[in-house]
Amino acid sequence: MPVTSKDIAEKLGLSQPTVSRILSGTQGYRASTETRQRVLEAAREMGYRPNAIARSLRGRRTDIVGFHTGYNYMSVRDAYMAAVLGGLQRVCDAKRVDILLLGVFHGRNTDDIYGELVNGRIDGLFLHTSAEDPLVAELAQSALPVVSISDAIPSLPSVVADDTDGIRQTVDYLWSRGHRRIAYIAPERHMISVDRRVETFREEMAKRRVSDATVIHREFTYGDASEDDGNLDETLNTLLALPERPTAACCWNDPCAMHLLRSCAKLGMRAPRDLAVVGFDGSLDQNLMMQTLTTIAVPWDTLATRALEVLRAQIQGGEVPRETIVPVTLLRGETA
Amino acid sequence: MPVTSKDIAEKLGLSQPTVSRILSGTQGYRASTETRQRVLEAAREMGYRPNAIARSLRGRRTDIVGFHTGYNYMSVRDAYMAAVLGGLQRVCDAKRVDILLLGVFHGRNTDDIYGELVNGRIDGLFLHTSAEDPLVAELAQSALPVVSISDAIPSLPSVVADDTDGIRQTVDYLWSRGHRRIAYIAPERHMISVDRRVETFREEMAKRRVSDATVIHREFTYGDASEDDGNLDETLNTLLALPERPTAACCWNDPCAMHLLRSCAKLGMRAPRDLAVVGFDGSLDQNLMMQTLTTIAVPWDTLATRALEVLRAQIQGGEVPRETIVPVTLLRGETA
DNA sequence: ATGAAAGCGCTAACAT
DNA sequence: ATGTTAGCGCTTTCAT
């Protein structure tokens, strides 16, 4: 049986609140030096550990924030997820907040999942899902502080990378390196971030009098799938079959870029000689690649810092910006 | 203000326990059909959500397990950490257990950290640290159920990969491919898993009448460091300078192997032609590599399953094996 | 089948 | 400076 403040109080012939006040460091309470001494010593001796659950029930606060991803095919194993969560982990640690890694709740209905989020265990939620997720509507009218991480959700405060500027930098860079025929490779899945990237890509190309810039939409499994599904092979073939064969490919994220590079390698093509390849996110560990990837690096720690700020502001009852945009930089690697 | 069971009881003129019994599905309680109906409907209407904190205080159970890594330079961003946590996440989700990602508690003392672990928020702990971590001694004599993940800790129940068999398979494989001069690359840091690997390596080589098998100890930063620290370049040079130049290198883990491969590439060497390279863990996503890595694949989902079993057995007060060993397989890639 | 009472361990309000 | 009382929301006796 764990030792409680009551146990200490009984042992010392004090009241339980006195012990609690001393041990929890209540503001504006000055215990007599002797009492304080005795309590602290008894606590140490008896191995007292304050019960966080009781404290939370009383204080309606847990100092725990949740992390939930609605893309149930995504796990922490994905480099992308790992980058996001790694940033949050570091930042939360510094603020003495712990992260409750909520299940993906496979096979459960929205209301059930919502219930798991608002049952008092967390003070706020980092949400990573799509705007269409039915959970979003529930959360939007709920009292639970939420921040959408890394994809913008109109109805929730969001913290996202600067998609527009990232693409601008990419096109600037490729253009300056002499590329004129650039293709954009996007997923089929709908994501606001990706929409913005595609739109900016078209705009930037149009500015340079390329009105029919190539955009290819192809879904592909990424993450920890054990086999390449070959979709990037097909995408590459599509690229190569274009009347005006592109000299550069702008991929919507890093795994997509890596898959494309592998498809190139299979055909004996090498980046950037035969095709320049650029990614987005900077989620992969460059040290583990044979060829470093040119990509738009998202500062995950900064993004996490902003996200936690937005969450805490809400927890403290403040107003927060609808959308916080984090600046990105072009990371020049060996592929473009 | 959230709706409580008391609110529902008052509204319906019932007692609070009755409402609670119906809503929580108390065993062996048969409410009258009418009462049950009214309660369920009121709960739905009023948006009742049971408070998990109150339930936990009462029941001394949270259905949350903690995850703590004492290697404070390691974050979820590391592919290794991501593989471990990804497995746990999947398995815990299936068992309806959530994971509390505890901070690394940077700059806090052991007793403080220990206090964060035994404050009632978690039912058990997945621990990833070294046997020398001072926290281990505290946990060993604590009532908190703990399981050491992926590195054996003598004083705690551990779930680990079969290091011995992994190395046996590796040497078997390399030998069968004609390699006779094989070097093992280990970290300087002390880890029981690595000791076992090195020991087995020496034994396997000795069995084949190679009594002075080469083992090189070199630390290197891995994970999300932004720059290669060059230690593998140096390691490679050491290998190449050996009187009997090895034809194969057995790396203690996958990132080490990848770093070595990069160092090779810098010198224009290619695996397996100029040097066969084998890793250990299978923590990296093969889809994202230009060349797939030959490695010992640890079945992370299985390891996670065993780990959760061991933890739950302890939580339920049962005895558990001191060490659970998970079988591994050689994954034949393109590097050896 | 339901209600009354108790208590999980803590903090806060009020009284002394 | 300390004690008394109350209550966070729930589950578990025990009584009816």
Side-chain angles (χ1 to χ4, degrees):
Chain A
M1 276 289 106
V3 177
T4 69
S5 55
K6 191 178 163 205
D7 295 336
I8 298 181
E10 276 167 5
K11 170 159 182 185
L12 301 182
L14 292 167
S15 78
Q16 178 270 325
T18 297
V19 172
S20 173
R21 284 187 273 244
I22 291 171
L23 261 22
S24 65
T26 304
Q27 282 296 333
Y29 176 68
R30 309 297 314 156
S32 75
T33 320
E34 197 215 326
T35 309
R36 150 161 276 115
Q37 207 67 313
R38 290 173 63 216
V39 168
L40 290 177
E41 187 172 326
R44 209 179 40 70
E45 243 174 35
M46 302 168 73
Y48 170 77
R49 305 288 172 176
N51 183 313
I53 297 294
R55 192 173 277 179
S56 293
L57 180 59
R58 184 61 242 243
R60 301 184 150 74
R61 264 209 11 223
T62 58
D63 289 321
I64 293 174
V65 294
F67 179 86
H68 172 70
T69 171
Y71 299 117
N72 62 16
Y73 47 87
M74 270 195 140
S75 101
V76 176
R77 277 206 77 161
D78 294 306
Y80 178 78
M81 208 72 281
V84 171
L85 195 54
L88 293 174
Q89 191 191 23
R90 179 171 317 206
V91 169
C92 289
D93 193 36
K95 297 286 183 201
R96 305 220 171 172
V97 165
D98 292 311
I99 299 175
L100 185 62
L101 204 58
L102 293 150
V104 293
F105 307 120
H106 188 72
R108 297 168 75 180
N109 67 45
T110 304
D111 193 61
D112 248 32
I113 299 176
Y114 177 71
E116 296 283 351
L117 302 178
V118 297
N119 60 11
R121 296 181 303 172
I122 57 176
D123 294 340
L125 179 70
F126 292 122
L127 181 66
H128 180 73
T129 194
S130 82
E132 281 98 24
D133 189 330
L135 192 59
V136 167
E138 296 224 40
L139 288 170
Q141 49 189 44
S142 148
L144 182 74
V146 182
V147 57
S148 170
I149 287 275
S150 100
D151 195 14
I153 293 187
S155 55
L156 296 174
S158 308
V159 177
V160 299
D162 194 335
D163 295 300
T164 303
D165 189 53
I167 295 304
R168 219 180 274 137
Q169 288 186 52
T170 304
V171 175
D172 272 358
Y173 176 73
L174 289 173
W175 196 269
S176 76
R177 307 274 290 176
H179 294 282
R180 292 298 175 267
R181 297 189 304 282
I182 307 173
Y184 195 88
I185 303 174
E188 280 170 348
R189 202 150 27 106
H190 176 70
M191 277 180 284
I192 291 177
S193 274
V194 176
D195 290 350
R196 289 177 180 172
R197 293 178 201 178
V198 170
E199 193 186 349
T200 307
F201 173 71
R202 290 194 202 276
E203 281 171 18
E204 287 297 310
M205 293 303 282
K207 260 191 217 163
R208 292 168 173 84
R209 312 199 182 290
V210 180
S211 57
D212 57 342
T214 308
V215 175
I216 298 183
H217 285 269
R218 271 299 184 292
E219 205 50 68
F220 73 106
T221 24
Y222 55 112
D224 56 8
S226 51
E227 294 164 30
D228 191 317
D229 67 356
N231 268 358
L232 265 296
D233 286 355
E234 189 212 320
T235 303
L236 181 58
N237 285 333
T238 308
L239 280 187
L240 299 179
L242 287 174
E244 302 243 284
R245 175 170 159 175
T247 61
C250 204
C251 298
W252 77 278
N253 74 358
D254 288 352
C256 175
M258 293 305 292
H259 281 245
L260 185 64
L261 285 168
R262 282 202 67 182
S263 297
C264 285
K266 286 188 207 163
L267 301 186
M269 292 173 62
R270 229 186 117 64
R273 197 191 57 197
D274 305 307
L275 183 71
V277 174
V278 184
F280 202 113
D281 281 346
S283 57
L284 305 178
D285 186 344
Q286 298 275 9
N287 286 324
L288 301 181
M289 304 172 182
M290 296 304 288
Q291 195 181 16
T292 56
L293 182 67
T294 297
T295 190
I296 294 297
V298 175
W300 296 108
D301 281 3
T302 306
L303 193 141
T305 303
R306 295 285 160 275
L308 184 56
E309 282 167 6
V310 170
L311 206 49
R312 294 180 106 202
Q314 287 180 77
I315 292 170
Q316 281 146 33
E319 282 299 303
V320 296
R322 167 167 240 65
E323 184 165 311
T324 304
I325 294 180
V326 174
V328 298
T329 52
L330 180 90
L331 188 70
R332 203 175 140 182
E334 296 159 355
T335 58
Chain B
M1 275 292 104
V3 177
T4 69
S5 55
K6 192 178 162 203
D7 295 336
I8 299 180
E10 276 166 6
K11 171 160 183 185
L12 300 182
L14 291 167
S15 77
Q16 178 270 325
T18 298
V19 173
S20 174
R21 284 188 272 244
I22 292 171
L23 261 21
S24 65
T26 304
Q27 281 297 334
Y29 176 69
R30 309 297 313 156
S32 75
T33 319
E34 195 214 330
T35 309
R36 146 162 280 116
Q37 207 67 312
R38 289 173 63 216
V39 168
L40 290 177
E41 186 173 327
R44 208 180 39 70
E45 245 173 32
M46 302 169 72
Y48 171 76
R49 305 288 172 176
N51 183 311
I53 297 293
R55 191 173 275 178
S56 293
L57 179 60
R58 182 64 242 240
R60 301 185 150 73
R61 263 208 14 222
T62 58
D63 289 322
I64 293 175
V65 295
F67 180 86
H68 172 70
T69 170
Y71 298 117
N72 62 16
Y73 47 87
M74 269 194 142
S75 98
V76 177
R77 275 206 80 160
D78 295 306
Y80 178 77
M81 208 72 279
V84 171
L85 196 55
L88 293 174
Q89 191 192 21
R90 177 171 318 206
V91 170
C92 289
D93 193 37
K95 297 287 183 198
R96 306 225 170 167
V97 166
D98 291 313
I99 298 175
L100 185 62
L101 204 56
L102 293 150
V104 293
F105 308 121
H106 188 72
R108 297 168 73 180
N109 66 46
T110 305
D111 194 60
D112 249 31
I113 299 175
Y114 178 71
E116 296 283 351
L117 302 178
V118 297
N119 60 11
R121 295 181 303 172
I122 57 176
D123 294 340
L125 178 71
F126 291 122
L127 182 66
H128 180 72
T129 193
S130 83
E132 282 97 24
D133 189 328
L135 192 60
V136 168
E138 296 224 42
L139 288 170
Q141 49 188 46
S142 146
L144 182 73
V146 182
V147 57
S148 170
I149 286 276
S150 99
D151 194 15
I153 292 187
S155 56
L156 296 174
S158 308
V159 177
V160 299
D162 194 335
D163 295 299
T164 303
D165 188 54
I167 295 303
R168 216 179 276 138
Q169 288 185 52
T170 305
V171 175
D172 272 359
Y173 176 73
L174 289 174
W175 195 270
S176 76
R177 306 274 291 178
H179 294 283
R180 292 298 175 267
R181 297 189 304 283
I182 307 174
Y184 194 88
I185 302 175
E188 280 170 348
R189 201 151 28 106
H190 177 70
M191 278 179 284
I192 292 177
S193 274
V194 177
D195 291 349
R196 289 176 180 172
R197 293 177 201 178
V198 170
E199 192 185 350
T200 308
F201 174 71
R202 289 193 202 277
E203 282 171 16
E204 288 296 310
M205 292 304 281
K207 259 192 217 162
R208 292 166 172 83
R209 312 201 182 288
V210 180
S211 58
D212 57 342
T214 308
V215 175
I216 297 183
H217 285 270
R218 271 302 182 290
E219 205 49 68
F220 73 106
T221 24
Y222 56 111
D224 55 7
S226 52
E227 294 164 30
D228 192 317
D229 66 357
N231 268 358
L232 265 296
D233 287 354
E234 189 212 320
T235 303
L236 180 58
N237 286 333
T238 306
L239 280 187
L240 300 179
L242 287 174
E244 302 242 283
R245 175 171 159 175
T247 60
C250 205
C251 297
W252 77 278
N253 74 357
D254 289 352
C256 175
M258 293 306 291
H259 281 244
L260 185 64
L261 286 168
R262 282 202 67 182
S263 297
C264 284
K266 286 188 206 164
L267 301 185
M269 293 172 62
R270 227 185 117 66
R273 196 192 58 196
D274 306 305
L275 184 71
V277 174
V278 185
F280 202 112
D281 281 346
S283 57
L284 305 178
D285 186 343
Q286 298 274 8
N287 286 324
L288 302 181
M289 303 172 184
M290 295 306 287
Q291 194 180 16
T292 55
L293 182 66
T294 297
T295 190
I296 295 298
V298 175
W300 296 109
D301 281 3
T302 306
L303 193 141
T305 304
R306 296 285 161 276
L308 184 56
E309 281 167 8
V310 169
L311 206 49
R312 296 180 105 201
Q314 288 180 76
I315 292 170
Q316 282 147 32
E319 282 299 304
V320 296
R322 165 167 242 66
E323 184 167 310
T324 305
I325 295 179
V326 174
V328 297
T329 52
L330 180 90
L331 188 69
R332 205 175 140 181
E334 296 159 355
T335 59

